[in-house]
Structures are given as C-alpha cells and as structure tokens.
Amino acid sequence: MSSLATLEAAPVLAAGGNAKGRSTSSSPPRKVIVGTAMQSFWGQYPGLHNRLDQLAGIVDQMAVEAKKKYGRSLDLAVLPETAITGEAEGDALARSVPFEGQVQDIFTRKARENGCYIVVPTYLLDSREKKLCSNAAILVGRKGDVVGTYRKIHLVVSLDGGTMEGGATPGDALPVFECDFGKLGIQICYDMEFGGGWTELARKGAELIAWPTQSPQTSQPAFRAKENRCYIVSSTWRHNASIFEPTGKIAAQITPPQSSLVHELDLSYALLPWSSKLRNGEALRKAYGDNVGFHYYEDEDCGIFWSNDPKTPIDEMVRSIGVLEIEDEMARVREFYRKAGVRR
C-alpha cells in the first residue's frame, strides 16, 4: 500500500484554492477542557429555585473533576437540552422562563466562580405580551457576561397537532461565538436531523459545536463531526453523553451510572491518513515523545494528532517526518486524477 500523493509533486490546492482546507495544525496548542452531562429531567418539576441549584451543582462537579484530572480549570460546561425548564408538556410558553433574574444570577455566579463558559439550555421566554418563547441555549462567558443565544431552528413537529414543541417559535440564525479558546457553535437536539445548520456553522469557522439534546444518538453526530471537521459535545438526558472527534470517532463517553464527563481536547490538530512513514503514529512518538499526542485508528487508517509543546505546532512535527495531512494528500490526489482525466 502506498500513497498516490508520492507519485507526483503537485501543488497543494484544495477546493476553492484554500491550500490548507480547514486545518488548524499550524496554530500553537489550544487545550480546551470540556464538561458535559447525562441527566434526565422527566418527572415532577421541582420548581425553578431547586432546579437551578441542581444545575449549579452539576457545573461545580465538572469543575472539580477538571482540577482533579487535569490540574486546571474547566473551560466549557454544556448542560442538556431545556435543563432549566424540562419538557414543554404541550405548552412551551407556560413552562418558559426569562433569562434575566434568577437564571442569569446563578449562571453568572457559577461562570465567575469556575472561570468557565457555560451553555445554558432552557425554554426561553422572549415576550409574554407577544406570547413568544423559544427552545434556546444561552452562552455565558467566563466573567458572567452573556456572549450570545442560539434558538433552536428545527423544533420537533407534532404532525397530528399541527404544532412545534408546544407552540415555541423557531429560531432563524446560526451564530458562531468567538470564545477565548476558539470558535463555538450550538445546535439543539432535532437540529441533528438537518445538515444545513451544521454545514453553515462549519462554513463560519465553528471548531467545536455544543449539542444539548434529549436524544442520545451517536452515529449521526459522528458523521456530522467528520463531515464538517469539528468536535461535537453532546449533553443528554439518557444513555450516554459523548465527545466526537473530527475523525468521526468518539474521543470520550459516559454511560449510566456516570452522570458527568470532563475531557481535554486540542483545537489545533492534524488529521493524518495511513502512511508507511507514520507507522500508526509511532514515528512521531519516537521523534517527539510526550510532546506529541494522538489517537490513531487502525480500523479507519487515519488518526488525529496534536502538539503538547507550546513552541512547536503539530504541522511542524508532521512535516519533519515527511507525512502529508489528509487535506494536502487529497488535494494532490485530485490534481493527479485531473491530469490523468479521471472523473471525480
């Protein structure tokens, strides 16, 4: 087995003339500690005050795990879909709450105490006078500021009742939030079934997408992560909460009886295909020791690699052993095909 990329030294040009595609490998390491949860919110509603105390405790638990596991503070906490209000139960407006007041007070405090961003999902009261509410996720910054809000576009439809999630109003925007660690997007539950939002977030540069959800599915988020070259963090009501790599593989996951997951990822990484020079990653390990980290998947003939050395980006390490990133290899292969008249 050998790479077609070695057959001819063609210019490295991806679609649209972007030489590196969406690779982030030339940037210094960007370690992000992400916390997520698996917690159900069915049953009798305990009241807003008690629910907020419960969710604050989950964030605190994530922060403690981050310190214990990695020796530093949590960067991002993602809570499950509508965690504050629970299900709409036929009337989303009646269940929805304003962000201002109790909700903002507690998450502002938790963000400041733990020095982290928090994705806060709820049925959000947008206007009681106009009877408007949305299934939303508010992003709170490390200093307690409101970075922005995503309102779920693809609300679940009741075909029999002719309504969307108990009368909620769908959102119409796909913001990408500039965080100090990178670009964050948000999708919510049923948005997973529609590719357009994921593609648009990727086009806008989202590197990490938080997915608060009731659904615990894994095959579709794995596909979205690989297709759109991003990390996806699910925060769910049941079965599992998972972190999906741009390889399409699950980097970390919890299942019952666990309830919270804390995992460090690096937003500056290289995706590498099989190569005899790479030796499934061992060539980089031999050259750089613990200064390189990776997950290599023999069953997929590819891997994700990152640098643990602030002075040496992963692309420098990769080039030093004469290996091409996936984008570069495929660009050269496509150019070879073009010259050979191969349909593509």
Side-chain angles (χ1 to χ4, degrees):
M1 185 175 180
S2 62
S3 170
L4 279 174
T6 64
L7 296 178
E8 181 173 321
V12 182
L13 291 174
N18 184 347
K20 295 296 287 181
R22 296 193 66 237
S23 175
T24 59
S25 63
S26 62
S27 302
R30 286 182 292 150
K31 311 297 184 188
V32 184
I33 299 177
V34 176
T36 187
M38 179 182 59
Q39 175 70 54
S40 68
F41 298 100
W42 289 292
Q44 185 174 356
Y45 188 64
L48 181 59
H49 177 78
N50 290 336
R51 176 56 53 81
L52 291 175
D53 279 350
Q54 177 189 12
L55 296 175
I58 292 173
V59 175
D60 286 340
Q61 180 183 347
M62 293 177 188
V64 169
E65 288 185 36
K67 286 280 180 66
K68 182 178 179 180
K69 191 173 181 181
Y70 297 107
R72 67 180 185 87
S73 299
L74 186 70
D75 292 302
L76 174 67
V78 184
L79 296 170
E81 181 184 20
T82 63
I84 292 173
T85 53
E87 290 189 292
E89 297 180 349
D91 189 345
L93 186 66
R95 178 56 64 91
S96 64
V97 296
F99 183 68
E100 297 77 12
Q102 292 184 66
V103 177
Q104 184 169 8
D105 290 347
I106 198 158
F107 286 107
T108 291
R109 178 161 53 86
K110 288 293 121 182
R112 287 174 176 165
E113 287 176 359
N114 296 306
C116 67
Y117 292 84
I118 307 176
V119 175
V120 182
T122 184
Y123 275 110
L124 180 65
L125 180 61
D126 292 309
S127 172
R128 191 172 298 282
E129 293 74 22
K130 296 180 180 179
K131 297 183 178 180
L132 293 176
C133 66
S134 53
N135 184 337
I138 300 99
L139 180 62
V140 179
R142 295 187 197 268
K143 296 180 180 180
D145 52 312
V146 177
V147 180
T149 301
Y150 169 67
R151 290 172 172 82
K152 183 178 179 182
I153 292 174
H154 300 101
L155 298 172
V156 176
V157 174
S158 170
L159 295 177
D160 292 334
T163 62
M164 292 186 291
E165 293 194 21
T169 299
D172 60 2
L174 286 160
V176 170
F177 305 107
E178 296 276 357
C179 300
D180 55 22
F181 54 74
K183 294 185 177 182
L184 175 72
I186 301 174
Q187 292 281 266
I188 299 175
C189 200
Y190 201 46
D191 285 328
M192 181 57 70
E193 305 299 323
F194 303 88
W198 300 89
T199 301
E200 179 64 8
L201 289 177
R203 187 191 68 79
K204 291 179 175 180
E207 301 168 288
L208 174 64
I209 299 177
W211 183 49
T213 178
Q214 286 192 43
S215 172
Q217 60 181 290
T218 56
S219 60
Q220 236 183 170
F223 169 73
R224 300 287 184 214
K226 184 173 183 180
E227 179 185 45
N228 297 295
R229 193 181 171 130
C230 63
Y231 284 93
I232 295 175
V233 178
S234 72
S235 190
T236 63
W237 284 41
R238 59 189 171 91
H239 194 275
N240 75 86
S242 303
I243 296 175
F244 302 87
E245 290 178 346
T247 59
K249 290 288 193 174
I250 294 175
Q253 183 181 74
I254 54 169
T255 57
Q258 296 171 290
S259 60
S260 66
L261 169 65
V262 172
H263 179 73
E264 183 183 76
L265 51 87
D266 198 320
L267 294 180
S268 298
Y269 59 86
L271 299 183
L272 304 183
W274 182 93
S275 165
S276 58
K277 295 178 181 178
L278 184 61
R279 301 203 312 275
N280 294 359
E282 289 309 312
L284 280 169
R285 179 82 78 200
K286 182 177 180 181
Y288 294 97
D290 291 339
N291 282 333
V292 67
F294 62 90
H295 298 150
Y296 188 83
Y297 304 103
E298 291 188 59
D299 58 334
E300 299 291 349
D301 280 334
C302 74
I304 184 168
F305 295 75
W306 59 89
S307 171
N308 296 323
D309 178 1
K311 298 179 180 179
T312 311
I314 187 62
D315 71 332
E316 290 185 23
M317 298 181 179
V318 169
R319 288 199 307 271
S320 75
I321 64 167
V323 175
L324 293 174
E325 294 184 52
I326 284 177
E327 297 90 348
D328 295 344
E329 174 161 314
M330 292 307 298
R332 291 188 177 189
V333 168
R334 289 189 180 97
E335 179 65 11
F336 185 92
Y337 284 162
R338 186 189 66 79
K339 290 183 177 180
V342 177
R343 287 174 176 260
R344 58 191 178 99

